[in-house]
Amino acid sequence: MSKRIIVIGYGNPSRSDDGLGWHAAKRLSEEISSSQLEILTLHQLTPDLAEPLSRAARVVFIDASVEGEPATLRFRSVGPGGPPPSAFGHHLTPDTLIALSGVLYGRAPEAFAFSVTGVSFDFGDTLSPGVEAVLPLMIEQVRECLEGGP
Amino acid sequence: MSKNIVIEPISRIEGHGKVTIMLDDMGKVSDARFHVTQYRGFEKFCEGRPYTEMPSIVERICGICPISHSLASAKACDAVLGVRLPRAAAKIRRLLNCGEFIQSHALSFFHLSSPDLLLGFDSDPSKRNIIGLIQANPDLAKDGIRLRQIGGHIVEWLGKKRVHPAWVVPGGVNEPLSEEHRDMMLAEVPDALAIIQRTLDLFKDSMEKYREEIRTFGNFPSLFMGLVNEQGNWDVTDGLLRVIDAKGHIVADMVDPSKYQDLIGEAVEPFSFLKSPYYKPLGYPDGMYRVGPAARLNVCNGMGSPLADQEWAEFRDLERGPVMSSFHNHYARLIEVLACVELMRSLLNDPEILSPHVRSFAQPNHYEGVGCVEAPRGTLIHHYRVDENGLMTWANLIVATGHNNLAMNRSVLQVAKRFVKGDTVPEGALNRVEAVIRAYDPCLSCSTHALGQMPLHVELVGPDGRLLHEVKRG
């Protein structure tokens, strides 16, 4: 996993909208083919990712959110200057992970996070109609981000 | 006036729980309860599914220990088929379980518990996390990451996926181990050995600092249960059940896991979705027993590999009988990682591990099957019944955290009695209540996770339900 750009779609694909990252990753894999891009799907962010991420030029995180208005798309920069790390460690935030890359391996990649506020987190492997409707716009923005934006 | 202190949710464990501490009229702790507030219903909603889907379905119970569920499930399905596993398949399954133990124990020790151990139970909670750990000891943090990576590589290189690989199947595994991956795994062994040996040295050197926690973190007499092989040695993938009492006497031995219901009863309490299994001959709740790393080291005659055997002997020297304090689960985890690395090396050096014959095929020959493995957190039992078409009609799962439920409740009470005084909970006491639960590394199962921080919420509630005192930290 030493490619220049890494996309991480994470969440629980068995809990409807929590699988947003997995759905987005699948869509991106179908649309983009590049030897410089690696797309991962994970349930949660764990510390062992810090080392491979330190070798990437850019990292994009995609996850569902429970905060804010349902089906709202959000985008933010991730990194040591972002929100403070979680006080608890059973899964890591993107910011903590990027901070780990910087502190432990001497290099924190440029990183961004896309999220959509979930409507349903019930058992199921499909997105709710509200989140499904936002997915194309998010994919478009992720693609722009991968191509060098924003 | 009696009062309740509620701690919700418990942090740095998998899933979400809550603790209620009851105070008596004098303001002293009278009782404590550990509640599991999630309800998953896996046993019910797998009814009607083909048994062949079960190893993949049950992997979804957890994102941290899915391999244990798939192995226990596949073993239950092996019993339904009535097949004998090809020898290479049995060895590869053991190798896979080593990978899971290494990555799960690494996460538990280095990233969930080390902040407490290294920075101190009374240290500033805003720094008592993985970033604080890195600032205090970056090399330890790096070792933890590297060890978890090595465990993850074994799982990924065997199953082609790091989480939820659909690779363990009824009758064996999907694909043989390639020579290339065998060599890649062998190349990681020296690094893994060096890391775990220096971590063991570090832990043992610092043990004196935790004297009070060792004395009070689940330090009470109980039964212990775990799997052992036919020689009575540590065995986390196959083996037979052994139960010992608080003095170390074997009270049940070489019990085929399919007979688990002769040993274990299951009680239900209204305050928790987690079942409360107990050792049947002693009844409920006297039949409280513990499983997991320290329990496994207590029940076995040895680890079956040279370096781990030396460490095991030192561990067992801590007490004249079984090692009672659940705090020593941390120590036992490190010894188990060492044993897994040695076992991994031995399996990989066995030429049979590359055999292409890794699966036995059959139609169901039995309507019932039980599968049992040791998961990182303790004994895991899957029990299935199927109809003549191979569709699931009934399932019973007893997970490690369930086996430990009674002991965790008892441990929380012990810590609360020692550290909680009056009607507020000081930070250090609060952290110790959480830490004693973390010593069991309970897996309440990962379900929906969300962006944002998990707050710690403490409520002091009077008998009339009125909120008397509240503490929050983000």
Side-chain angles (χ1 to χ4, degrees):
Chain A
M1 204 165 81
S2 57
K3 311 257 174 86
R4 284 182 54 77
I5 301 175
I6 298 174
V7 174
I8 301 178
Y10 65 106
N12 186 340
S14 304
R15 299 301 288 260
S16 302
D17 289 344
D18 200 34
L20 169 77
W22 290 61
H23 288 273
K26 183 169 182 290
R27 196 78 65 93
L28 287 164
S29 302
E30 289 163 356
E31 293 182 10
I32 307 173
S33 175
S34 165
S35 60
Q36 294 298 301
L37 175 66
E38 180 158 14
I39 300 175
L40 302 175
T41 46
L42 301 167
H43 278 251
Q44 56 195 34
L45 304 178
T46 47
D48 40 312
L49 291 165
E51 190 270 328
L53 293 194
S54 73
R55 289 185 274 118
R58 179 173 277 215
V59 178
V60 173
F61 297 93
I62 306 173
D63 187 22
S65 169
V66 293
E67 294 162 355
E69 284 293 308
T72 307
L73 172 63
R74 274 195 297 276
F75 165 83
R76 70 180 177 87
S77 286
V78 169
S86 167
F88 312 112
H90 82 275
H91 64 266
L92 299 180
T93 64
D95 304 274
T96 306
L97 195 49
I98 294 300
L100 285 187
S101 297
V103 175
L104 286 180
Y105 301 103
R107 194 177 168 284
E110 193 179 25
F112 304 93
F114 288 85
S115 68
V116 176
T117 308
V119 175
S120 167
F121 291 94
D122 208 346
F123 292 113
D125 56 8
T126 56
L127 296 175
S128 66
V131 171
E132 180 77 48
V134 181
L135 189 58
L137 176 62
M138 192 185 76
I139 295 292
E140 193 183 317
Q141 292 188 5
V142 171
R143 292 191 66 152
E144 282 174 20
C145 182
L146 297 178
E147 285 158 12
Chain B
M1 184 176 70
S2 62
K3 297 165 182 173
N4 290 349
I5 298 170
V6 181
I7 303 173
E8 180 183 23
I10 308 303
S11 62
R12 274 188 278 151
I13 59 175
E14 293 307 326
H16 296 245
K18 182 176 88 168
V19 164
T20 306
I21 300 167
M22 279 75 86
L23 304 182
D24 63 18
D25 292 343
M26 305 297 289
K28 289 187 176 169
V29 173
S30 61
D31 203 357
R33 281 174 181 168
F34 173 55
H35 314 254
V36 175
T37 52
Q38 287 180 319
Y39 178 73
R40 304 292 301 278
F42 264 86
E43 287 157 320
K44 203 66 195 167
F45 71 62
C46 65
E47 287 178 6
R49 305 304 308 173
Y51 75 96
T52 48
E53 291 182 359
M54 287 304 289
S56 288
I57 290 175
V58 297
E59 276 189 332
R60 268 67 188 175
I61 289 173
C62 184
I64 294 293
C65 50
I67 300 300
S68 308
H69 284 288
S70 71
L71 285 171
S73 177
K75 289 179 76 176
C77 294
D78 297 342
V80 167
L81 297 177
V83 293
R84 181 183 295 174
L85 229 55
R87 287 161 57 95
K91 288 176 181 175
I92 294 176
R93 283 186 182 182
R94 298 183 81 192
L95 179 62
L96 181 69
N97 210 18
C98 286
E100 161 127 314
F101 264 68
I102 293 169
Q103 66 169 0
S104 179
H105 279 358
L107 185 71
S108 172
F109 182 83
F110 289 92
H111 301 117
L112 304 187
S113 298
S114 281
D116 291 329
L117 302 177
L118 200 72
L119 307 174
F121 290 89
D122 296 301
S123 61
D124 179 355
S126 68
K127 296 188 175 131
R128 200 176 51 228
N129 54 38
I130 191 160
I131 296 291
L133 174 69
I134 286 166
Q135 284 159 352
N137 194 334
D139 290 339
L140 185 73
K142 263 188 178 170
D143 275 355
I145 286 174
R146 177 72 184 118
L147 199 57
R148 191 171 151 77
Q149 230 174 21
I150 292 169
H153 283 161
I154 296 170
V155 173
E156 196 176 352
W157 293 338
L158 285 172
K160 311 290 182 285
K161 276 170 76 182
R162 188 173 291 189
V163 181
H164 301 163
W167 180 72
V168 180
V169 291
V173 296
N174 251 334
E175 209 179 320
L177 173 64
S178 70
E179 201 170 335
E180 180 194 6
H181 280 144
R182 189 269 313 266
D183 294 344
M184 286 161 71
M185 290 178 198
L186 270 174
E188 307 240 90
V189 167
D191 215 7
L193 274 180
I195 290 171
I196 196 59
Q197 286 180 300
R198 65 176 167 256
T199 309
L200 266 163
D201 290 343
L202 179 80
F203 182 81
K204 287 186 287 186
D205 286 347
S206 62
M207 219 150 50
E208 184 61 22
K209 281 196 305 191
Y210 317 125
R211 188 188 293 181
E212 189 60 15
E213 284 76 22
I214 289 168
R215 198 173 68 79
T216 54
F217 274 31
N219 195 344
F220 48 78
S222 76
L223 300 162
F224 295 94
M225 186 178 82
L227 289 176
V228 292
N229 67 14
E230 287 173 355
Q231 290 74 47
N233 285 335
W234 178 87
D235 187 340
V236 292
T237 310
D238 299 302
L240 302 161
L241 290 166
R242 172 180 281 179
V243 182
I244 63 167
D245 67 16
K247 291 184 176 168
H249 301 129
I250 294 172
V251 296
D253 202 15
M254 301 296 156
V255 178
D256 189 307
S258 66
K259 308 274 189 254
Y260 77 95
Q261 287 173 321
D262 294 344
L263 294 182
I264 299 168
E266 296 180 71
V268 178
E269 291 286 359
F271 59 81
S272 180
F273 283 123
L274 190 59
K275 293 185 281 194
S276 298
Y278 59 95
Y279 179 60
K280 232 176 203 175
L282 294 187
Y284 180 78
D286 294 343
M288 173 182 66
Y289 60 92
R290 284 182 269 186
V291 300
R296 285 189 288 259
L297 267 58
N298 278 333
V299 302
C300 71
N301 299 343
M303 305 301 286
S305 60
L307 295 173
D309 266 339
Q310 284 175 28
E311 296 292 343
W312 174 80
E314 210 174 315
F315 175 87
R316 292 299 306 270
D317 262 356
L318 289 169
E319 293 189 36
R320 288 172 64 191
V323 174
M324 290 293 171
S325 176
S326 291
F327 183 89
H328 284 311
N329 275 321
H330 299 305
Y331 186 6
R333 261 178 214 113
L334 297 177
I335 298 171
E336 289 200 318
V337 170
L338 179 58
C340 283
V341 176
E342 287 188 288
L343 176 58
M344 173 184 152
R345 180 174 58 188
S346 154
L347 288 166
L348 289 167
N349 281 322
D350 180 346
E352 196 175 38
I353 198 95
L354 296 177
S355 164
H357 183 36
V358 291
R359 186 170 181 182
S360 300
F361 293 90
Q363 292 296 314
N365 285 299
H366 304 283
Y367 292 135
E368 192 164 5
V370 174
C372 180
V373 296
E374 287 292 334
R377 292 153 188 85
T379 315
L380 174 64
I381 298 168
H382 281 226
H383 183 184
Y384 302 159
R385 289 186 191 134
V386 299
D387 66 13
E388 62 278 10
N389 299 312
L391 299 179
M392 293 287 297
T393 58
W394 179 86
N396 188 35
L397 276 56
I398 309 182
V399 302
T401 303
H403 292 294
N404 281 329
N405 196 13
L406 289 173
M408 283 194 290
N409 274 282
R410 178 84 175 271
S411 302
V412 169
L413 176 61
Q414 187 178 35
V415 168
K417 280 190 165 177
R418 169 66 183 82
F419 293 101
V420 176
K421 308 283 180 200
D423 56 7
T424 57
V425 185
E427 171 55 38
L430 180 62
N431 189 41
R432 284 177 174 85
V433 170
E434 288 188 285
V436 73
I437 296 171
R438 279 200 291 276
Y440 291 92
D441 194 19
C443 186
L444 310 183
S445 94
C446 318
S447 58
T448 306
H449 77 275
L451 283 174
Q453 294 190 355
M454 184 193 294
L456 180 68
H457 191 181
V458 184
E459 286 184 339
L460 184 64
V461 183
D464 55 356
R466 192 164 55 90
L467 186 66
L468 301 175
H469 182 69
E470 190 174 31
V471 181
K472 284 184 181 174
R473 72 176 188 225

